[in-house]
Amino acid sequence: MESVIALLAGNPEIALFLALAVGHAVGAIRFGPFQLGGICGTLIAALFIGQVGVRLDDDVRNVAFALFIFALGFTGGPQFFGNVAKEWRIGLLSLVEVFVLLALLAVAVPLLGLDPGTAAGLLAGAATESAVIGTASEAIAHLGTDPEQIRVLQSHIVTAYSVTYLFGLISIVLFTSQLAPWLLRENLRESATRLWHQLGGQNDMQDGQVSALPRVVSRVLRVEVADTTVLDAERGVAMGVTIRRIRRDGNTFKPTPDEVLRAGDVMLVVGRRDAMVAFVPLVGTEVSGDDTLHAEFDAVVQCEQSVLLTRREVIGLTLARLREVADVGAGRGVYLSRITRMQHRVPLLPETVLRRADVLTLSGPRDAVQLAVPELGYAVVPTVRTDFVFLGIGILLGMWLGSLHVDVGRANLTLGTGGGCLVAGLAFGWFRARVPLLGSLPAPAAEILKDFGLATFIAAVGLSAGPDALKLIEQYGLVLPLAGVLISVIPAAISLFIGHRWLRLELPILLGAVAGQHCSTPTIMALTNAAGNSTPVIGYTITYAISNVLLPLLGPIAVTMAVAMAVH
C-alpha cells in the first residue's frame, strides 16, 4: 500500500488518469433513472485519491479550464446569439434562474455562515453547472489572501459541489418529470402527445431507431394517365414526390421537369410516404416482379448532406412554410431527414421552427442537394482536422480579455481567464457559423475539448482538495444537501409558475426549458422518456444555450457576494 501511495504522490500524472478512469466508470453506473455522470464521478474519485497528498501543477489546471470554457462558448455561440432576441419568452426563464439563484445564495451565506468557496460550490452543485467551479476558483485565486487559504477555499468549492450535485440532480429530475405535472394538474404524456400532433407529428424516432414505415419511400410505377408533364404530376401532391427515372421503349433516362409522360412508361418515383399513397392512383399502378427492371433502378442512389443553416430568409420559418416557398429548381427531389440543434435532435414536424446554426440533413439526388445547400447555408464538410491557428488565436484572445481589469472604488473588476475565454469562444463560434470557410473546430473535437478539459480541471482541483474535504463535510453535515435541494427546486418552481401563468407555454416545452436552465442532460433524457416524445427538446435547447453562458459567470459573483457579507 505504501508503494502505491508513493507512486501516486511521486507521479501526479498517474493519479490524474486514474481519477479520470475510475471517475467515469463510477459515473456510468445507473441507479434507476439516475447517473452521476463522468464529471461528478471524476470529482469523487479525485477527492478519495487526493487523501494521499497528490498535487497537480496549477498550470495543468489552468490550461485544461481554458480549453473547456473556450469550447463551451464556441459550441454555444451561434444558438446563444440567435435565441436571446428571437426566443425571449423562453429565454426569460434563464434570467429567472440567475436572479433567483443569487437571491437564495444571499440568504444562505449569512444564514449558514458559508465561506466564499462553500458558497460557490453550493451554487455549482445545486444548479448542476460544473463550469461554475472553474470561474469561482479563479475568482478566489485573485482575492489577495495567502496561498494556503486560497487552496483551502478552492477545496471547499469542489467538496460542496460534490455533496450538493447529486441531490440537486435528483431534485430537478423528479421535479420536471413527476412533481411539476402534478402541481399543474396535467398529464405530461398526454400533453406531449397533443403538442406533437399540433406540430404536425405522426411518430417520433429516437437515435438508433428506424421506422417500419420510413418517411421517404420509392416505388416503381407504370403510367396509365398520360399527357401530363413530370412537374405537373409531381405538383399533384404538393411536390411530395420526385420522378427520378423513366424507362421507355427499352431505354432508361433521367427526365427533365417538362418531360411529357406517355402511357406505358415505367417510372422510379421517390418521395414522402404520405404523398406517395396519394400519388400512385393519380398516374397508374405499381409494377412488381420485374427483377431486371428493379435491378436497373437499384443503381439510382440517394445522397445525404448536412447543412449549417445561416440564410436569414430561412431562419424562423416552419418546415411547412419552407416547403411552400422552396424554389422548385433547387428544392425538387430534396427531403429533410434530420435536424440537430446543439447536439440534440429536434422533432422533424411541419410546425417545427428553424433556428440559426441548426444542422439540417438533406436527402436526395446529388445535383439537387448541391443546388439546395446554398439556399439554406453552408455544407458541413466532414473533417477530423482542427485548425490550431484558429483555436490558438481564440484562446489567446480570451486570456488577453481576461487579463484586463477596471478599478471601481475598492473593487477590481475583471473577467478572468474563464470569462475571457468564454467571451472569445462565443465570438469565434458565432463568426464560424456565419463564415464556415474560415477556421475549423469540428463538433467532435470541440466535444473532446469540453469533456477532457473539464474532467482534467475537476480532477486537478479534486486531487488538491485532499483532507480539507472531510473537514467541510463534518462541519456542515446534512445542511449542504438540504440547501442544494432547495436551491435547485425553488428557481425551477418559480420558472414553472411564470412560464405557465404568464408566458402560457405548453407543458412539455416549459418543462424542457426548466431542464435547460440547469444545463442538465440527464434531466432532459428523463423528461423525454416521461413525455413519450422529444417535444421537451424544443424548450431545452433555448435555455440551455443561454444558461450555459450565464451560469459560469455567477461563480465570481458568488465569491464576491460571500466576501462582502463576511466583511460586514
Side-chain angles (χ1 to χ4, degrees), residues 60-120:
V60 174
R61 184 178 63 188
N62 295 336
V63 169
F65 185 68
L67 289 172
F68 157 71
I69 205 73
F70 178 83
L72 178 68
F74 182 86
T75 55
Q79 292 292 341
F80 173 77
F81 289 111
N83 288 324
V84 167
K86 293 184 179 179
E87 294 291 348
W88 66 269
R89 289 173 65 244
I90 299 178
L92 178 65
L93 298 181
S94 290
L95 297 179
V96 171
E97 170 92 354
V98 166
F99 287 116
V100 175
L101 281 174
L102 291 177
L104 292 173
L105 199 64
V107 174
V109 168
L111 183 64
L112 303 179
L114 303 179
D115 61 72
T118 306

Side-chain angles (χ1 to χ4, degrees), residues 11 31 45 77 93 120 159 183 235 238 268 273 280 292 352 421 442 458:
N11 300 274
F31 304 92
L93 298 181
T159 305
L183 290 173
R235 283 174 171 166
L268 171 65
R273 186 182 68 253
V280 173
T292 302
T352 295
C421 287
I458 291 293

Side-chain angles (χ1 to χ4, degrees), residues 242-568:
T242 307
I243 300 174
R244 296 286 306 275
R245 294 291 187 274
I246 294 178
R247 184 171 180 80
R248 178 185 299 160
D249 299 331
N251 297 316
T252 301
F253 61 94
K254 178 181 177 181
T256 61
D258 57 0
E259 177 71 35
V260 177
L261 299 178
R262 300 180 187 176
D265 285 349
V266 178
M267 307 183 301
L268 171 65
V269 184
V270 179
R272 299 196 310 269
R273 186 182 68 253
D274 56 341
M276 189 69 71
V277 172
F279 181 75
V280 173
L282 292 180
V283 296
T285 58
E286 187 168 357
V287 176
S288 61
D290 190 335
D291 293 338
T292 302
L293 181 61
H294 282 76
E296 186 174 353
F297 284 160
D298 279 342
V300 180
V301 298
Q302 289 278 107
C303 297
E304 282 199 343
Q305 174 65 58
S306 295
V307 183
L308 182 69
L309 183 61
T310 59
R311 285 293 296 269
R312 183 176 302 174
E313 298 84 356
V314 178
I315 296 168
L317 296 181
T318 64
L319 296 186
R321 180 58 180 159
L322 176 64
R323 170 59 65 178
E324 292 176 2
V325 303
D327 177 69
V328 173
R332 180 173 172 264
V334 178
Y335 302 95
L336 188 58
S337 60
R338 186 166 59 251
I339 302 176
T340 304
R341 184 176 298 163
M342 297 199 71
Q343 288 78 55
H344 293 277
R345 290 187 64 168
V346 176
L348 196 63
L349 305 174
E351 296 305 313
T352 295
V353 178
L354 296 171
R355 299 299 177 202
R356 177 177 293 278
D358 283 352
V359 177
L360 313 181
T361 301
L362 306 181
S363 175
R366 182 177 299 277
D367 54 351
V369 168
Q370 290 175 346
L371 287 173
V373 167
E375 299 296 323
L376 299 171
Y378 294 89
V380 176
V381 180
T383 179
V384 295
R385 300 189 63 180
T386 297
D387 186 342
F388 282 96
V389 175
F390 183 79
L391 176 64
I393 291 176
I395 294 179
L396 285 173
L397 180 60
M399 290 180 172
W400 174 75
L401 288 173
S403 68
L404 302 178
H405 61 87
V406 177
D407 293 325
V408 180
R410 295 183 178 180
N412 185 276
L413 303 181
T414 178
L415 287 173
T417 300
C421 287
L422 179 61
V423 171
L426 287 169
F428 274 57
W430 172 84
F431 178 77
R432 167 70 179 171
R434 288 184 172 268
V435 189
L437 301 180
L438 296 179
S440 175
L441 182 57
E447 289 301 310
I448 290 176
L449 287 180
K450 285 200 300 183
D451 293 344
F452 182 72
L454 180 59
T456 301
F457 170 80
I458 291 293
V461 175
L463 291 171
S464 300
D468 297 313
L470 298 179
K471 296 178 183 178
L472 188 69
I473 294 174
E474 292 175 359
Q475 178 181 351
Y476 289 100
L478 296 177
V479 173
L480 283 180
L482 180 59
V485 170
L486 294 176
I487 294 178
S488 178
V489 170
I490 291 175
I494 294 175
S495 294
L496 182 73
F497 176 81
I498 292 174
H500 178 71
R501 183 64 63 87
W502 293 345
L503 302 180
R504 303 292 183 183
L505 297 175
E506 294 87 350
L507 181 63
I509 293 178
L510 172 57
L511 296 181
V514 172
Q517 290 175 193
H518 283 66
C519 303
S520 176
T521 300
T523 303
I524 191 60
M525 293 173 63
L527 187 55
T528 53
N529 288 335
N533 60 43
S534 57
T535 49
V537 174
I538 298 172
Y540 176 81
T541 55
I542 297 169
T543 52
Y544 179 86
I546 298 173
S547 293
N548 242 340
V549 174
L550 297 183
L551 289 181
L553 299 179
L554 296 187
I557 296 176
V559 171
T560 303
M561 180 186 298
V563 170
M565 290 183 176
V567 171
H568 294 291

